[in-house]
Amino acid sequence: MELSLFKEFKNIIVLDTETSGLNFKDDEIIELAMLRVAHTVNGFEVLDEYDEFISLSPGRELPEKITELTGITPFMLATQGRDKASVCRAVEEMFSVEKPLVVAYNSQFDMCFLYYFLAKYGDPRVLKNIKMLDAMTVYKDRRSFPHKLCNAIEAYSVDAVNSHRAIDDTKAAFKVLIAMAEEKDDLANYINLFGYSPKYGVAGTKISSVTYKPQGFQPGVPLYEA
């Protein structure tokens, strides 16, 4: 199939982060994965794949509950973790490709963490004018609660796992995205449109280029028509 998103964008960058906690201002990214996908004569082709652990800042400790969830240990970060500046450079290089669209599952979470990460250790201007798509917002318009990535994987029967490891979840998010496009190729309508819980509001700092709309737990009128 030809994904309509590729009529506007030459590259789709799917990303995921694993973090030391939920507070994007105080907690840290401990693993970052990115896939750059293009539409070629051979179909959807991964042109670049990036996955790195990131060293914790001096004096920071990794909570045990994060290790239980992700399998990432302090030893792994200490021995395999990249320094933050080099990871920022990798992000900046990936985002500098022609006409990129950045996709994540729960983009609000990942993009807030990414912005503060770049603001501290790199150049956040790389995010200026970046177009984004939140795969979870699309999924909420298609299926009833619950809306975790594992639920989307099961609903669309895609060959992927939600392991809470960044590279696995990045690949899973892209396969879910393709499955949703095959079901109804209206994904272009969700660009820079994020749904949020009416009960809890927008999590984190609002992104200036994004339109936020309340989104319930049951499918109804598509969010872009609401």
Side-chain angles (χ1 to χ4, degrees):
M1 65 168 293
E2 181 177 352
L3 192 61
S4 63
L5 291 173
F6 282 111
K7 295 178 181 178
E8 182 176 353
F9 302 97
K10 288 198 171 182
N11 297 276
I12 292 180
I13 300 170
V14 191
L15 66 83
D16 185 70
T17 62
E18 298 302 329
T19 63
S20 63
L22 301 177
N23 189 324
F24 57 89
K25 292 184 179 180
D26 296 324
D27 292 311
E28 300 190 350
I29 300 175
I30 57 173
E31 184 187 15
L32 173 68
M34 299 180 287
L35 297 177
R36 181 169 71 91
V37 184
H39 192 208
T40 70
V41 293
N42 298 318
F44 303 115
E45 189 172 348
V46 176
L47 301 182
D48 285 310
E49 180 176 322
Y50 180 90
D51 177 38
E52 293 287 357
F53 293 130
I54 304 174
S55 299
L56 287 172
S57 297
R60 298 296 296 264
E61 295 184 358
L62 186 66
E64 290 184 7
K65 62 181 180 182
I66 299 299
T67 296
E68 292 173 1
L69 178 67
T70 65
I72 300 171
T73 66
F75 180 77
M76 292 164 69
L77 298 181
T79 58
Q80 302 175 46
R82 297 288 302 276
D83 67 279
K84 293 175 172 60
S86 67
V87 176
C88 284
R89 288 192 295 271
V91 173
E92 292 159 11
E93 181 178 354
M94 183 75 80
F95 281 30
S96 67
V97 297
E98 186 177 1
K99 294 184 178 180
L101 173 68
V102 177
V103 176
Y105 198 90
N106 192 7
S107 293
Q108 177 69 13
F109 179 88
D110 293 300
M111 296 309 293
C112 282
F113 263 96
L114 189 61
Y115 175 82
Y116 275 86
F117 179 69
L118 290 167
K120 289 180 181 179
Y121 308 106
D123 186 357
R125 291 175 297 179
V126 71
L127 300 180
K128 187 177 181 180
N129 300 322
I130 284 286
K131 302 292 186 181
M132 293 166 279
L133 189 150
D134 178 27
M136 187 171 73
T137 293
V138 181
Y139 184 66
K140 284 183 175 181
D141 267 359
R142 306 287 184 88
R143 299 291 190 276
S144 300
F145 182 85
H147 295 123
K148 294 181 179 180
L149 178 57
C150 60
N151 305 125
I153 290 170
E154 182 178 3
Y156 287 100
S157 301
V158 300
D159 181 18
V161 292
N162 177 202
S163 67
H164 297 288
R165 283 294 308 276
I167 190 61
D168 290 340
D169 292 357
T170 297
K171 292 177 178 179
F174 181 66
K175 289 183 177 180
V176 166
L177 185 78
I178 295 301
M180 290 191 296
E182 291 175 342
E183 179 181 56
K184 183 180 180 181
D185 194 7
D186 62 348
L187 303 187
N189 294 313
Y190 291 90
I191 293 170
N192 283 11
L193 174 63
F194 290 3
Y196 67 87
S197 167
K199 182 177 180 180
Y200 299 106
V202 176
T205 302
K206 286 187 175 182
I207 301 168
S208 60
S209 60
V210 170
T211 297
Y212 294 89
K213 291 186 178 183
Q215 189 175 32
F217 292 112
Q218 303 296 329
V221 175
L223 197 64
Y224 54 81
E225 294 180 358

